[in-house]
Amino acid sequence: MQKGSTPAVPDKDRLIDFFEKAMAFTNANRDKVILGVSGGILLLAVITGVGLYNQKASRDASIAFQNLKTDFQAVVEREGRDAALARWLADAPSVLGDLKGGASSYGAALLWYGGLAFETGEYGSASKWYGAAASEFGSDSSLRNIAWCGQGQALEQQGKQDEAASLYEKIRKSGSSVKLYEVTFHLARIKETQGDTEGAAVLYREIMESSPASSYKDLAEEKLAGL
């Protein structure tokens, strides 16, 4: 050991020194320490409570949505699909209000009601519900694409082809293959009806060259042959 060097302090002595200082601080500031610990416990309890509440709300909404579909099918079997559609669409605002806040269950319900409205020719309502569903599925491009595709078709039925084309382009840029070839076909058809046969041909060829075997591939081939 070199002259003048400081002897090493054993780890055990360091640990004892730390605890002694900690206990001295606690005794000198007992009220503040108790208040801080109590506040931390309370905050943890609140966070835990909110988490449990959200889980329960989501679970309850999911169960309610499943029951809703079961009840709908029962009415279809008992009274026919037209009667079931009329009743369910009339009750949609209140039912959706009850399901709101149920995370993916609410988005699924919006998507389902969009399909029911489209089936009955209520394209305005269908477009609204599909659009709301797409917002709920913001982080899930697969479900969002399904909602956008439905909304686009509802907009087309209302003569809003440019708005529909914009949604189809969003799906094509989403990076997901869900609904990709379907909306590519719809977009090509819109271009064709607007007189852009060259743009339509490009999209029809894209489907034929990259799409797996499907009805849209066959339709694209037929369309391209007729241009």
Side-chain angles (χ1 to χ4, degrees):
M1 180 182 298
Q2 296 181 355
K3 186 178 180 179
S5 62
T6 303
V9 179
D11 290 340
K12 183 176 180 181
D13 291 344
R14 290 178 184 275
L15 185 61
I16 292 172
D17 182 59
F18 170 78
F19 277 115
E20 287 178 346
K21 290 180 179 178
M23 290 301 295
F25 174 82
T26 300
N27 289 330
N29 300 272
R30 183 178 301 275
D31 292 341
K32 293 181 179 179
V33 170
I34 292 174
L35 181 61
V37 171
S38 300
I41 293 173
L42 178 61
L43 179 61
L44 180 61
V46 170
I47 292 173
T48 302
V50 170
L52 291 174
Y53 174 81
N54 288 338
Q55 289 179 8
K56 183 178 185 303
S58 180
R59 183 173 61 253
D60 289 348
S62 178
I63 293 172
F65 179 46
Q66 293 302 322
N67 290 339
L68 182 70
K69 292 193 293 183
T70 300
D71 292 345
F72 174 79
Q73 189 58 40
V75 175
V76 169
E77 295 174 359
R78 187 172 61 249
E79 302 177 24
R81 191 166 184 86
D82 289 344
L85 285 168
R87 184 184 306 177
W88 254 248
L89 290 174
D91 293 341
S94 61
V95 172
L96 288 169
D98 292 339
L99 291 174
K100 193 170 185 178
S104 59
S105 297
Y106 180 58
L110 288 166
L111 194 61
W112 186 62
Y113 270 112
L116 296 183
F118 191 96
E119 183 180 343
T120 61
E122 295 186 17
Y123 302 119
S125 295
S127 176
K128 179 185 69 176
W129 284 328
Y130 277 134
S135 298
E136 291 293 316
F137 298 135
S139 61
D140 188 328
S141 59
S142 298
L143 292 171
R144 184 180 58 191
N145 284 3
I146 293 171
W148 273 343
C149 183
Q151 186 182 14
Q153 292 181 62
L155 288 169
E156 277 198 78
Q157 292 295 329
Q158 298 173 78
K160 301 177 180 180
Q161 292 187 325
D162 290 340
E163 292 181 45
S166 177
L167 288 172
Y168 296 153
E169 289 287 9
K170 284 184 178 181
I171 295 174
R172 284 169 53 78
K173 294 175 182 177
S174 70
S176 171
S177 62
V178 174
K179 294 293 184 178
L180 174 60
Y181 300 112
E182 181 177 346
V183 300
T184 299
F185 178 81
H186 291 320
L187 185 59
R189 184 173 42 73
I190 288 175
K191 288 182 178 294
E192 185 179 353
T193 59
Q194 293 178 338
D196 184 6
T197 55
E198 183 176 346
V202 169
L203 293 177
Y204 287 139
R205 289 194 188 95
E206 179 183 320
I207 296 171
M208 291 173 59
E209 293 170 1
S210 58
S211 170
S214 68
S215 59
Y216 289 105
K217 190 167 188 175
D218 295 337
L219 288 170
E221 186 175 4
E222 293 177 10
K223 283 284 192 179
L224 188 60
L227 288 180

